[in-house]
Amino acid sequence: MIKCPECSADLDEDDHTCSACGVTLDSTSAPTVVESFRTAPRPSVATVEIRSPRFSPGDLLAGRYRLISLLGRGGMGEVYQVEDLKLGQTVALKFLPEAVARNGAVLARFHREVRLARQVAHPNVCRVFDVGEAEGRPFLSMEFICGTDLRSLLRKDGRLPPKRALDIAWQLCAGLAAIHDAGILHRDLKPANVMIDERGRVRITDFGVAALAGDDGEEWSGTPAYMAPEQAAHGRVSVESDLYSLGLVLYEMLSGRRAFEEGKPRLPLSRFVLDLDPTAERMILRCLEPDPVNRPASAVEVARSISGDPLAAALASGQVPSPEMVASAPGVGDLSLAKGASCLLGVLGALFTIVLLSDRFMAHHQVPLPYSAEALAGRARDLLAHFGYQDLPRHRAYGFGIDPGRPESRSLYWFWYRESPEPLRPVSLQAGPDDPPRTAPGETYLVLDPEGRLERLEVLPRPAGTALGPPPGRSLLLRAAGIDPARAAPIRPLLPPAVYADERAAWEAAPIRIEAAFHEGHPVSLRIVGARDASPLLSLKPGADIPPVLGLLAIAVILFMTRRHLRVGIGDLNGAWRLGAFVFALSLVDWICAGKGLPRGGDLPLLVGAAALAWCLYLSFEPPVRRRWPLRMVSWTRLMAGHVRDSMVGRDLLVGCLLGLAFVLVCVVETLVSSSVGGQPLFRLAGPESLTGFAGVVRQLCSDLQGAMSSSFASVLGLLALQRVLRREGWAIGVFAAIYMVVLVLHYNGNHLWIVLAAGGAKVAIVLFIWLRFGLLANITSRLTYLLALSYPLTDNPSDWYAGTTLFVVLAISSLAVYGFVVSTVPSIRSR
């Protein structure tokens, strides 16, 4: 039993308070720590007389704090619950002993410790706000915690249930790691300084200022019953000494008794907890090693061994888990043969249904495409030869265009063709109708409709001496435009020609007008004005261009976040390099398929720039998502680490294909229902690149791969931003769904509202289910599947010229699903 140094009365072993004179000690006797302490020199022990509270409820302190009640007293002074009148919230004030106010050196150290303590912001650490002074006594303002301390909990319940004890242990390790990361040593970790709030969350208190408990300096601060041997004997404090105290607290929680009690041997923890993981027991005993060298290096290491899950330990400690830690997180994606086969059959069935119904929801079936790009290019070359331009072109480019804004003036799809005596060097990746500008002498530009009828012609003046064929007759020009010369009545020209000409002509063949111009008898300009055909008015889905200002702002934010994450060392550099290399390879394939050949020195910056932007985007996006939702990044991180045969990777690929096709089917049903009830169905547009042969199909695939990744990154970043603002994932998901629905309602303004809401609800449910249940890789896979199914012309007629493209889509999606099926089901099959 410990005696009071003032009146020799017995002290309470828990409170260390004398019931006779009111003196409180900050520690128990040294022999309760380890046997070797008995021969060590005893430090002087500070005593503070606290006979009655100095302040009363209702007192106004420092002109700001209204006192509510006394929370406790001890060797560190008095703690009061007060109301902060300025901020309107409840806080706690800890008044330090008067001896501190009289000791300038100790007071300066107190201020230094508070400056460090204010930097600690962790859910498992009591927040420290500020220092102040009232009636000549310094105080510390800190977070008010409504709950009970661990000492009272152990006194009431004894040994804690293992599950609850380990949960508290993880949080203790997390809070202690955050304190150590701020450069602070607790020095007095014990059950009395561990609070359990009303939500069951652990909060470490009294860190960083425990040195002020004694007048002799920080080396003798702390509670001997929870001191490390070197701290009690020689006053040496370190991270390892705090870990020794942590081990004592963990042992007490699991066993219900202190590890070192006089006259009692230390029993193995397995004696009290039968199902305790041996690794956890060994780690706790390592914390209790007399030699600091043999103890763990950090609280994070303790958490990892106790939990058996490095990822959970890192999250508990408030750290950003490394990519390797995420990749090695426990969890497999093994699917039973029945589940895997069901998913695969679902993918194949959905593909069959989408192809079978393609003529009901795809725009190219509503405005047919009878000829391929190669056939139309041949038609354009033949027309130019008939017009007298018989010299073969040195450079040419062609492709399909889409004009959803003017379906009344010409066909939805249109075909453009360019010839030039000089190389076509566009600003973008591939030459287009206006990229590069048409300025080379002798350059020719044509526009044909899908039927091969001429709609526009521009021929720039050719150099003097260029050999031309005989001028064609005017009737040939009209027939090339698909007009019967007998029905065309000459009229006065109204529009100026687009190029230099020495003669103009115009005809009217209701309901259109033909404006033409000639130079030396050869046609150099032609334009069709008016509606040629009664084409159906289609409701389409045009692409939305990003304003340049927003694009520049996004790049600035990406660069800022990338620099920040690199400075703190949390970026996944290996994954960023792999992603950058993948994007560079896609850009290179796109470049070659665009007909530019191998890139030269001046072309490389374009390709490297695309890869660099992907590199920066990944480094700006991935760390905060890995920190917030690491379990949804596991399969993606494993894929980026090269674990392509991981079962979780296979599962997410398979499920992503299935749910991506489910999203497509919702779009199909929406169009069919709208058509059946007299609404305005939304027809899907095949990408122009996919209509230009094998090279175009490959280019569209490269675009879809990059689009799937970038759109997934953007949606996840949107969710992350909403959660940071709203603080709760449930609220963020609700707002995300609401924004999604509002955008759909605005986009489908001409349709029935109930169709929009029903289809939109199904779509957002699929998107959120993919992200919440499976994570990033499944999200990217589902978006890629969606783009593959709707970016290419589909048909169930093998005689259509784009039937090969349909076969490519079916093979691409089914191959991805089959690979996911094999990888995810083989482990479960082998385990039988």
Side-chain angles (χ1 to χ4, degrees):
M1 184 64 67
I2 307 173
K3 302 294 183 178
C4 174
E6 297 292 331
C7 62
S8 300
D10 294 337
L11 294 180
D12 185 273
E13 291 189 0
D14 293 309
D15 293 330
H16 313 144
T17 302
C18 177
S19 58
C21 65
V23 169
T24 301
L25 300 183
D26 70 331
S27 57
T28 57
S29 58
T32 60
V33 184
V34 289
E35 190 67 23
S36 61
F37 287 9
R38 295 176 181 174
T39 60
R42 291 288 296 130
S44 59
V45 180
T47 62
V48 181
E49 295 186 5
I50 308 177
R51 300 183 181 279
S52 61
R54 182 163 183 169
F55 304 106
S56 303
D59 289 350
L60 182 63
L61 307 178
R64 175 176 178 175
Y65 302 101
R66 179 74 66 186
L67 194 146
I68 298 176
S69 64
L70 174 69
L71 295 177
R73 298 180 296 176
M76 285 290 293
E78 303 167 347
V79 182
Y80 294 92
Q81 177 185 355
V82 301
E83 181 185 1
D84 187 342
L85 300 179
K86 182 178 292 186
L87 299 180
Q89 63 182 19
T90 302
V91 299
L93 297 186
K94 171 174 282 191
F95 281 86
L96 303 180
E98 294 183 2
V100 173
R102 298 191 298 266
N103 190 324
V106 174
L107 189 59
R109 188 172 66 249
F110 165 63
H111 289 153
R112 183 180 68 250
E113 297 282 1
V114 171
R115 281 196 299 270
L116 293 174
R118 288 181 63 180
Q119 301 176 13
V120 182
H122 192 275
N124 299 121
V125 178
C126 176
R127 290 294 306 275
V128 173
F129 299 136
D130 203 355
V131 292
E133 186 175 304
E135 297 186 10
R137 293 185 60 186
F139 65 80
L140 173 71
S141 64
M142 56 188 181
E143 182 181 6
F144 173 72
I145 302 173
C146 183
T148 185
D149 60 75
L150 182 59
R151 180 191 63 179
S152 301
L153 193 64
L154 291 173
R155 180 190 297 173
K156 175 184 176 182
D157 299 337
R159 179 169 65 89
L160 299 181
K163 184 176 180 180
R164 188 179 186 189
L166 289 178
D167 180 61
I168 294 175
W170 294 338
Q171 298 183 63
L172 269 178
C173 293
L176 190 58
I179 293 172
H180 289 167
D181 288 343
I184 305 173
L185 299 175
H186 192 291
R187 305 183 182 92
D188 195 22
L189 186 63
K190 57 185 179 182
N193 287 337
V194 177
M195 294 290 296
I196 313 295
D197 64 18
E198 54 189 0
R199 296 167 55 187
R201 187 170 57 185
V202 173
R203 316 293 288 277
I204 299 177
T205 64
D206 277 356
F207 63 94
V209 295
L212 301 176
D215 291 338
D216 292 336
E218 59 182 335
E219 57 271 22
W220 293 117
S221 63
T223 303
Y226 295 94
M227 280 185 181
E230 70 277 7
Q231 182 180 1
H234 307 292
R236 291 196 297 266
V237 291
S238 62
V239 170
E240 288 76 13
S241 62
D242 273 355
L243 296 180
Y244 187 93
S245 303
L246 174 65
L248 291 172
V249 174
L250 300 184
Y251 186 96
E252 189 170 347
M253 284 195 303
L254 289 166
S255 66
R257 55 181 287 179
R258 292 176 180 171
F260 302 103
E261 289 186 329
E262 189 174 11
K264 296 181 181 180
R266 188 186 72 186
L267 299 176
L269 283 173
S270 55
R271 176 82 173 269
F272 305 98
V273 186
L274 299 180
D275 56 348
L276 181 63
D277 188 348
T279 303
E281 182 176 9
R282 287 194 297 269
M283 177 54 68
I284 295 174
L285 296 182
R286 274 189 63 194
C287 293
L288 300 179
E289 287 286 343
D291 189 349
V293 177
N294 297 327
R295 296 175 200 157
S298 66
V300 175
E301 184 179 348
V302 178
R304 291 175 182 174
S305 297
I306 290 177
S307 66
D309 184 355
L311 179 59
L315 294 176
S317 63
Q319 296 183 340
V320 179
S322 66
E324 294 77 16
M325 195 179 295
V326 173
S328 61
V332 294
D334 296 355
L335 294 177
S336 65
L337 184 60
K339 290 183 179 179
S342 299
C343 291
L344 182 60
L345 290 176
V347 169
L348 298 178
L351 271 175
F352 176 79
T353 303
I354 291 169
V355 172
L356 190 64
L357 297 175
S358 60
D359 61 332
R360 305 282 300 277
F361 70 92
M362 298 203 79
H364 65 273
H365 287 286
Q366 315 306 315
V367 183
L369 295 172
Y371 301 112
S372 66
E374 290 78 6
L376 292 174
R379 164 71 172 168
R381 178 64 263 189
D382 291 341
L383 287 178
L384 290 175
H386 289 311
F387 295 158
Y389 307 110
Q390 297 176 350
D391 52 325
L392 296 178
R394 296 182 58 187
H395 305 279
R396 69 173 187 168
Y398 58 84
F400 279 100
I402 299 176
D403 193 2
R406 299 173 56 201
E408 74 284 354
S409 64
R410 57 184 172 188
S411 299
L412 172 64
Y413 290 94
W414 52 281
F415 179 81
W416 60 271
Y417 178 88
R418 293 181 64 173
E419 288 184 359
S420 177
E422 297 181 4
L424 297 172
R425 299 191 180 279
V427 177
S428 59
L429 194 60
Q430 186 183 21
D434 301 305
D435 184 19
R438 299 186 293 273
T439 58
E443 185 169 353
T444 304
Y445 173 67
L446 290 88
V447 173
L448 307 178
D449 72 0
E451 302 286 340
R453 296 175 294 188
L454 181 64
E455 289 196 343
R456 189 170 179 180
L457 171 68
E458 292 180 14
V459 181
L460 272 65
R462 301 206 165 204
T466 303
L468 298 176
R474 305 295 171 90
S475 61
L476 179 61
L477 184 64
L478 293 175
R479 289 192 182 94
I483 299 169
D484 185 0
R487 295 181 53 248
I491 60 173
R492 179 185 176 186
L494 300 177
L495 300 178
V499 297
Y500 173 77
D502 55 20
E503 184 182 358
R504 297 168 60 189
W507 298 267
E508 185 175 32
I512 64 173
R513 189 175 78 253
I514 306 96
E515 296 273 352
F518 303 85
H519 179 64
E520 297 180 355
H522 295 85
V524 293
S525 176
L526 181 137
R527 185 178 303 178
I528 302 293
V529 181
R532 181 197 294 271
D533 302 314
S535 301
L537 187 63
L538 303 180
S539 176
L540 306 170
K541 187 179 181 182
D545 294 331
I546 299 177
V549 174
L550 293 181
L552 293 176
L553 179 62
I555 292 177
V557 172
I558 289 172
L559 294 177
F560 172 78
M561 296 300 295
T562 300
R563 180 175 179 270
R564 179 182 178 183
H565 294 154
L566 288 176
R567 287 184 62 185
V568 298
I570 59 175
D572 180 12
L573 284 174
N574 290 332
W577 285 117
R578 290 189 178 97
L579 182 63
F582 180 68
V583 171
F584 179 84
L586 291 178
S587 301
L588 180 61
V589 172
D590 196 358
W591 183 278
I592 295 174
C593 291
K596 293 189 172 186
L598 294 176
R600 301 189 178 104
D603 302 325
L604 287 177
L606 291 174
L607 304 182
V608 175
L613 183 59
W615 186 85
C616 293
L617 175 62
Y618 188 72
L619 287 178
S620 65
F621 148 80
E622 190 266 348
V625 177
R626 177 169 21 104
R627 179 177 186 175
R628 179 73 64 175
W629 300 302
L631 295 179
R632 297 172 191 165
M633 296 286 290
V634 174
S635 58
W636 169 260
T637 307
R638 290 177 181 178
L639 179 63
M640 296 302 291
H643 304 157
V644 295
R645 296 189 60 83
D646 183 82
S647 61
M648 187 174 288
V649 172
R651 181 203 66 184
D652 287 355
L653 291 176
L654 177 59
V655 172
C657 290
L658 179 63
L659 295 177
L661 292 176
F663 194 99
V664 176
L665 286 175
V666 171
C667 298
V668 173
V669 172
E670 179 186 15
T671 301
L672 298 180
V673 172
S674 297
S675 300
S676 63
V677 297
Q680 192 174 26
L682 181 72
F683 292 97
R684 301 288 162 163
L685 286 165
E689 294 297 338
S690 65
L691 301 172
T692 55
F694 175 77
V697 168
V698 174
R699 294 196 65 210
Q700 186 68 51
L701 177 61
C702 295
S703 175
D704 289 343
L705 284 168
Q706 296 187 62
M709 290 187 293
S710 60
S711 60
S712 295
F713 293 167
S715 63
V716 174
L717 276 176
L719 271 174
L720 181 65
L722 288 174
Q723 180 159 343
R724 284 188 173 182
V725 172
L726 301 174
R727 302 294 183 182
R728 294 185 180 180
E729 186 175 16
W731 285 102
I733 291 173
V735 173
F736 180 87
I739 294 174
Y740 192 97
M741 294 297 293
V742 169
V743 171
L744 288 178
V745 170
L746 295 177
H747 189 69
Y748 299 104
N749 196 27
N751 209 337
H752 292 290
L753 183 60
W754 67 271
I755 298 178
V756 175
L757 295 177
K763 293 175 185 177
V764 74
I766 292 174
V767 170
L768 292 175
F769 175 74
I770 295 172
W771 168 245
L772 296 175
R773 176 61 180 85
F774 298 100
L776 182 61
L777 180 58
N779 194 3
I780 294 175
T781 306
S782 66
R783 290 174 184 269
L784 175 61
T785 304
Y786 167 80
L787 292 175
L788 286 173
L790 296 181
S791 297
Y792 298 83
L794 302 180
T795 180
D796 59 347
N797 186 356
S799 63
D800 287 336
W801 62 267
Y802 44 83
T805 305
T806 304
L807 181 62
F808 166 80
V809 171
V810 172
L811 289 178
I813 297 177
S814 59
S815 297
L816 193 61
V818 168
Y819 178 82
F821 166 77
V822 172
V823 172
S824 60
T825 57
V826 165
S828 62
I829 295 175
R830 289 178 177 175
S831 63
R832 291 185 176 182

